[in-house]
Short mmCIF file of all heavy atoms in Angstrom, two decimals:
data_model
loop_
_atom_site.label_atom_id
_atom_site.label_comp_id
_atom_site.label_asym_id
_atom_site.label_seq_id
_atom_site.Cartn_x
_atom_site.Cartn_y
_atom_site.Cartn_z
N HIS A 2 0.61 2.15 -0.95
CA HIS A 2 1.37 3.38 -1.01
C HIS A 2 0.64 4.51 -0.29
O HIS A 2 -0.53 4.76 -0.54
CB HIS A 2 1.54 3.76 -2.48
CG HIS A 2 2.38 2.80 -3.28
ND1 HIS A 2 3.76 2.70 -3.12
CD2 HIS A 2 2.02 1.85 -4.15
CE1 HIS A 2 4.22 1.76 -3.91
NE2 HIS A 2 3.18 1.24 -4.56
N LEU A 7 4.24 15.68 -5.28
CA LEU A 7 3.64 16.47 -6.33
C LEU A 7 4.62 17.56 -6.74
O LEU A 7 4.97 18.45 -5.91
CB LEU A 7 2.34 17.14 -5.88
CG LEU A 7 1.14 16.20 -5.66
CD1 LEU A 7 -0.06 16.99 -5.11
CD2 LEU A 7 0.73 15.56 -6.99
N LYS A 45 -6.93 14.59 -4.34
CA LYS A 45 -8.13 13.93 -3.69
C LYS A 45 -8.24 12.45 -4.08
O LYS A 45 -8.51 11.62 -3.20
CB LYS A 45 -9.37 14.69 -4.05
CG LYS A 45 -10.64 14.12 -3.41
CD LYS A 45 -11.86 14.94 -3.81
CE LYS A 45 -13.15 14.36 -3.21
NZ LYS A 45 -14.32 15.17 -3.55
N PHE A 47 -5.87 10.41 -4.92
CA PHE A 47 -4.83 9.66 -4.19
C PHE A 47 -5.12 9.53 -2.73
O PHE A 47 -4.89 8.47 -2.09
CB PHE A 47 -3.46 10.29 -4.45
CG PHE A 47 -2.81 9.93 -5.74
CD1 PHE A 47 -2.92 10.77 -6.80
CD2 PHE A 47 -2.11 8.72 -5.85
CE1 PHE A 47 -2.31 10.42 -8.04
CE2 PHE A 47 -1.51 8.38 -7.06
CZ PHE A 47 -1.64 9.22 -8.16
N VAL A 48 -5.65 10.58 -2.11
CA VAL A 48 -6.00 10.48 -0.71
C VAL A 48 -7.07 9.46 -0.44
O VAL A 48 -7.01 8.64 0.47
CB VAL A 48 -6.37 11.87 -0.14
CG1 VAL A 48 -6.99 11.75 1.27
CG2 VAL A 48 -5.17 12.79 -0.16
N GLU A 70 -2.54 28.76 -1.64
CA GLU A 70 -3.82 28.23 -2.00
C GLU A 70 -3.69 26.70 -2.23
O GLU A 70 -4.63 25.93 -1.93
CB GLU A 70 -4.32 28.87 -3.30
CG GLU A 70 -4.88 30.29 -3.06
CD GLU A 70 -3.74 31.31 -2.86
OE1 GLU A 70 -2.60 31.03 -3.25
OE2 GLU A 70 -4.04 32.39 -2.30
N SER A 73 -3.62 25.20 1.33
CA SER A 73 -4.92 25.27 2.00
C SER A 73 -5.91 24.33 1.33
O SER A 73 -6.73 23.73 2.04
CB SER A 73 -5.46 26.71 1.99
OG SER A 73 -5.68 27.19 0.68
N ASN A 91 14.30 25.51 -1.82
CA ASN A 91 15.72 26.00 -1.76
C ASN A 91 15.85 27.12 -0.74
O ASN A 91 16.98 27.58 -0.49
CB ASN A 91 16.25 26.36 -3.13
CG ASN A 91 15.48 27.55 -3.79
OD1 ASN A 91 14.91 28.39 -3.09
ND2 ASN A 91 15.46 27.55 -5.11
N ARG A 101 2.57 32.46 6.29
CA ARG A 101 1.30 32.24 5.52
C ARG A 101 1.21 30.73 5.16
O ARG A 101 0.07 30.15 5.20
CB ARG A 101 1.25 33.07 4.29
CG ARG A 101 1.21 34.59 4.57
CD ARG A 101 0.78 35.41 3.32
NE ARG A 101 1.60 35.17 2.16
CZ ARG A 101 2.73 35.87 1.91
NH1 ARG A 101 3.13 36.78 2.76
NH2 ARG A 101 3.40 35.65 0.83
N GLY A 106 -1.54 25.39 6.45
CA GLY A 106 -1.52 23.98 6.84
C GLY A 106 -0.25 23.22 6.58
O GLY A 106 -0.27 22.03 6.68
N THR A 147 10.89 21.91 13.63
CA THR A 147 12.07 21.20 14.15
C THR A 147 11.79 19.75 14.43
O THR A 147 10.66 19.37 14.81
CB THR A 147 12.54 21.89 15.46
OG1 THR A 147 11.46 21.87 16.42
CG2 THR A 147 12.92 23.31 15.20
N THR A 153 21.54 18.15 1.69
CA THR A 153 22.89 18.55 1.22
C THR A 153 23.42 17.57 0.23
O THR A 153 23.77 16.43 0.60
CB THR A 153 23.89 18.71 2.39
OG1 THR A 153 23.31 19.67 3.33
CG2 THR A 153 25.24 19.18 1.91
N ASP A 162 34.53 18.82 1.38
CA ASP A 162 35.40 19.27 2.48
C ASP A 162 34.60 19.93 3.57
O ASP A 162 35.16 20.33 4.62
CB ASP A 162 36.49 20.20 1.95
CG ASP A 162 35.92 21.44 1.28
OD1 ASP A 162 34.84 21.40 0.71
OD2 ASP A 162 36.62 22.46 1.28
N VAL A 178 20.87 17.39 9.27
CA VAL A 178 21.52 17.59 7.97
C VAL A 178 21.59 16.22 7.27
O VAL A 178 22.11 15.27 7.78
CB VAL A 178 22.97 18.13 8.15
CG1 VAL A 178 23.70 18.20 6.81
CG2 VAL A 178 22.91 19.51 8.78
N MET A 184 23.72 11.80 -7.54
CA MET A 184 23.06 10.76 -8.33
C MET A 184 22.98 11.18 -9.80
O MET A 184 22.72 12.35 -10.10
CB MET A 184 21.68 10.49 -7.77
CG MET A 184 21.66 10.04 -6.38
SD MET A 184 20.01 9.83 -5.66
CE MET A 184 20.39 9.47 -3.91
N GLU A 193 31.93 9.61 -11.82
CA GLU A 193 32.28 8.85 -10.61
C GLU A 193 33.26 9.58 -9.73
O GLU A 193 33.22 9.41 -8.50
CB GLU A 193 32.90 7.51 -11.06
CG GLU A 193 33.04 6.50 -9.92
CD GLU A 193 33.42 5.13 -10.40
OE1 GLU A 193 33.33 4.85 -11.61
OE2 GLU A 193 33.81 4.30 -9.53
N ARG A 204 33.21 7.79 7.67
CA ARG A 204 34.57 7.56 8.14
C ARG A 204 35.23 8.90 8.45
O ARG A 204 35.93 9.06 9.50
CB ARG A 204 35.40 6.83 7.06
CG ARG A 204 36.81 6.48 7.51
CD ARG A 204 37.68 6.08 6.33
NE ARG A 204 37.89 7.15 5.37
CZ ARG A 204 38.70 8.19 5.58
NH1 ARG A 204 39.39 8.31 6.71
NH2 ARG A 204 38.82 9.17 4.61
#
Side-chain angles (χ1 to χ4, degrees):
H2 296 284
L7 288 176
K45 180 179 178 179
F47 278 97
V48 169
E70 287 74 21
S73 62
N91 62 29
R101 297 196 303 273
T147 59
T153 303
D162 60 333
V178 176
M184 301 176 187
E193 191 170 347
R204 184 194 64 76

